[in-house]
Amino acid sequence: PAANFSIVGLPANHLPTSSSCEVCHVGAGSSIAATPVVDGARFSGSLMNHAGIGSGCVACHVAAGTPAAFTGVTAIVGMPPTSPAGANAHIPAGTACENCHLASMPAGLVAASATKTAPGTAFAAPAPTTAQIHTGITSGCTNCHERPLVWMGMGAYPIAPSAFTAGASYTGFQTRPGTSAGPNNVADPAHPTSGDCAQCHANTNAFTGVDKPANHIPYAASAQCNSCHVGTDYAVQPSVTAIHANAQSTSTNCAQCHGSAAASFAIPAANFSIVGLPANHIPTTASCEVCHLGAGSSIAAAPVLSGARFAGSLMNHAGINGNCVACHVPVPQQAGFIGIATITKMPQTSPVGAGSHIPSSTRCETCHLASMPSGLVPASATTLPPGTTFANPAPTTVQIHTGITSGCADCHEASDVWMGMGAYPIAPSVLTAGASYTGFQVRPGTNAGTYTVADAAHPSGGDCSQCHVGTTAFSGVAKPANHIPTAANAACNNCHTSADYAALPTLTNIHAWAPSTSANCAQCHGSAAASFAIPAANFSIVGLPANHLPTSSSCEVCHVGAGSSIAATPVVDGARFSGSLMN
């Protein structure tokens, strides 16, 4: 400053650039014609070369109506508005100017204010190519090509042909066809009136009537367009017969189109949709044809023909793959499945009665597998529980008792009766020594009944499995799981001298047939004593009291001998521990 010396630098409002000054400001026609720079050289008012700008035109050529605000530039070509649509509006674009207008960028030195009116020759000519305009565009076509949208420069792309021509490829700037033709559209009353162009047209070089929608239904590799689309107007829907005759499979895999993907094939503008699996369809992972195809169904055979329908047709249970209870839920819950007004349901298990199902935690098919429908039946064929489809044939004893090892009294108690018990008549119907009782038996009591024999001596409580181990038949010789140990050569009648096993054997017999008649009393009378109890039979074992003298010896070491109440082994009737002498 003291020498009044300064350097011309880059003004704060200079056009945005990272190039060196000479890239734009040196050349013929500029005040700096060549280097080295000589006296009289200046930047202001000189021509400039766009070569230094590189890319990013929009950094300077901002939207129309925005002041240039760059030093030495009083006016600049700006990007026209994109809204409202009209002959002076730029088509909507999210790309940089140079993506479309690269060929119209100035190549040499031009005056900074050479072009002052939009669009200006520097951008309008040459017109961008179709490929440039559509770079990155795969959808949203209607943002530009909707009827009656018009845009700046559309005249550079005249349409051809200008009338509807079967099989033609339509070029130029086309808008959606309508009833009447116009400068930018052909007349085609059958053309969809809504929906994005990309649903049917996949090419941006031309519109063609044979373009396939991106969400077109699957078809056989050998199928041609005219296999289904028999006319030149592709807005006319093909017949159901033609569609299924040219499917990838004519007999299987219906779910490829009619399954979870059905909604994805819809073209609302063409009023086209696929019948899919309703939200309240009965639960299944099988393909449609497994249940809905066969004699008696509205879809009698494949391939599917015109007029076929799912609603109201017969169905085949083969596609259910078990898990009957997913549909045949317990009463009183309603079915809630499409097309099914009523459905056979599992009867209630409570209260106990002739209309109640026996308690069960297994699937229906565990017992009723043989009665499952094997062919096509009306969806509402069986409306009253249990219904013939479950009652016949009656489940076998093995099926009913699958997984049952205890809790017998839940079903076989004295007063219990259940639905279908009549299918299992009892035999013999009177108390018979040594017999195996078959049929549906309940706990014996004083009096006989339809499902019980008379046995006043039978325990009145306790679970059946305490004495009975077979589910095929009840037998009086079945040994409780917690029976006391016996000698290997012992037979039931060595201790149980009568036909009534509820009558307790004598102590003499019990001990005479123990694993040892003279030792190891603790095997029964030690810590395990309580485990042998059968309260329903009033049977228990004398065990070691909690306040017994401390010892790990077996009972006989201290309690057997002259002067004790157990004078000698084997132990006989009348033996006791309390009050006797001890060793």
Side-chain angles (χ1 to χ4, degrees):
N4 195 29
F5 178 77
S6 62
I7 294 285
V8 175
L10 201 70
N13 61 339
H14 190 281
L15 289 173
T17 179
S18 58
S19 299
S20 190
C21 312
E22 63 274 11
V23 177
C24 296
H25 289 287
V26 175
S30 171
S31 57
I32 307 173
T35 53
V37 179
V38 296
D39 290 343
R42 57 182 170 73
F43 289 115
S44 59
S46 78
L47 302 182
M48 65 162 282
N49 191 335
H50 278 71
I53 304 302
S55 60
C57 308
V58 77
C60 297
H61 296 274
V62 292
T66 303
F70 301 123
T71 187
V73 180
T74 57
I76 194 170
V77 175
M79 180 175 171
T82 60
S83 179
N88 294 317
H90 195 286
I91 60 172
T95 59
C97 309
E98 54 270 24
N99 284 357
C100 294
H101 297 286
L102 185 63
S104 56
M105 286 177 61
L109 291 163
V110 294
S113 58
T115 306
K116 299 181 180 180
T117 57
T121 56
F123 285 100
T129 66
T130 298
Q132 287 175 323
I133 294 171
H134 291 90
T135 299
I137 302 296
T138 56
S139 63
C141 311
T142 53
N143 291 335
C144 296
H145 292 277
E146 191 52 84
R147 193 168 181 265
L149 297 180
V150 292
W151 307 100
M152 174 186 296
M154 281 171 60
Y157 309 92
I159 67 171
S162 57
F164 184 71
T165 306
S169 290
Y170 298 88
T171 59
F173 197 102
Q174 300 275 351
T175 57
R176 184 187 298 274
T179 304
S180 304
N184 302 109
N185 73 276
V186 296
D188 181 8
H191 192 283
T193 57
S194 62
D196 192 48
C197 313
Q199 284 186 306
C200 297
H201 302 281
N203 193 334
T204 56
N205 292 324
F207 285 113
T208 170
V210 297
D211 276 337
K212 187 180 72 174
N215 63 335
H216 193 285
I217 59 174
Y219 54 88
S222 59
Q224 301 296 315
C225 299
N226 59 8
S227 300
C228 294
H229 300 278
V230 293
T232 57
D233 186 354
Y234 287 86
V236 176
Q237 288 192 32
S239 67
V240 171
T241 298
I243 290 173
H244 290 89
N246 291 282
Q248 290 182 330
S249 170
T250 60
S251 59
T252 61
N253 199 18
C254 303
Q256 182 177 22
C257 292
H258 296 283
S260 58
S264 68
F265 299 120
I267 304 177
N271 197 29
F272 178 76
S273 61
I274 295 283
V275 175
L277 203 69
N280 61 337
H281 190 280
I282 60 174
T284 180
T285 57
S287 193
C288 316
E289 68 275 7
V290 178
C291 296
H292 289 288
L293 189 67
S297 171
S298 58
I299 306 173
V304 179
L305 306 177
S306 297
R309 56 181 170 73
F310 288 117
S313 79
L314 303 183
M315 64 161 285
N316 192 333
H317 279 71
I320 304 303
N321 298 325
N323 195 18
C324 309
V325 77
C327 299
H328 297 275
V329 292
V331 293
Q333 186 175 341
Q334 295 301 308
F337 303 120
I338 189 167
I340 301 178
T342 56
I343 192 170
T344 302
K345 305 176 180 71
M346 179 177 172
Q348 72 278 3
T349 60
S350 179
V352 173
S356 296
H357 194 285
I358 60 172
S360 175
S361 60
T362 60
R363 287 183 169 191
C364 310
E365 56 270 27
T366 303
C367 295
H368 296 285
L369 184 63
S371 57
M372 283 178 63
S374 57
L376 290 162
V377 296
S380 57
T382 307
T383 57
L384 297 175
T388 56
T389 55
F390 285 101
N392 295 309
T396 66
T397 298
V398 173
Q399 288 174 323
I400 294 172
H401 291 89
T402 299
I404 303 296
T405 57
S406 62
C408 311
D410 292 341
C411 297
H412 294 277
E413 196 48 82
S415 60
D416 287 354
V417 291
W418 307 99
M419 174 185 297
M421 282 172 60
Y424 309 93
I426 67 170
S429 58
V430 296
L431 187 66
T432 304
S436 290
Y437 298 88
T438 59
F440 196 100
Q441 300 276 349
V442 294
R443 185 187 299 273
T446 303
N447 300 315
T450 308
Y451 303 107
T452 181
V453 296
D455 181 6
H458 191 282
S460 58
D463 192 49
C464 314
S465 61
Q466 286 183 306
C467 297
H468 302 280
V469 295
T471 55
T472 302
F474 285 114
S475 170
V477 298
K479 188 174 72 172
N482 64 333
H483 194 285
I484 59 175
T486 58
N489 62 342
C492 300
N493 60 8
N494 292 138
C495 293
H496 299 279
T497 56
S498 72
D500 185 359
Y501 287 85
L504 288 177
T506 65
L507 292 182
T508 298
N509 286 346
I510 290 174
H511 289 88
W513 296 98
S516 170
T517 61
S518 60
N520 198 17
C521 303
Q523 183 176 22
C524 291
H525 296 282
S527 58
S531 69
F532 300 120
I534 304 176
N538 196 30
F539 177 76
S540 61
I541 296 284
V542 176
L544 202 70
N547 62 341
H548 190 280
L549 289 173
T551 181
S552 59
S553 298
S554 191
C555 313
E556 67 274 7
V557 177
C558 296
H559 288 287
V560 175
S564 171
S565 59
I566 305 173
T569 54
V571 179
V572 295
D573 291 342
R576 56 182 170 72
F577 288 116
S578 60
S580 76
L581 301 181
M582 65 160 285
N583 190 338

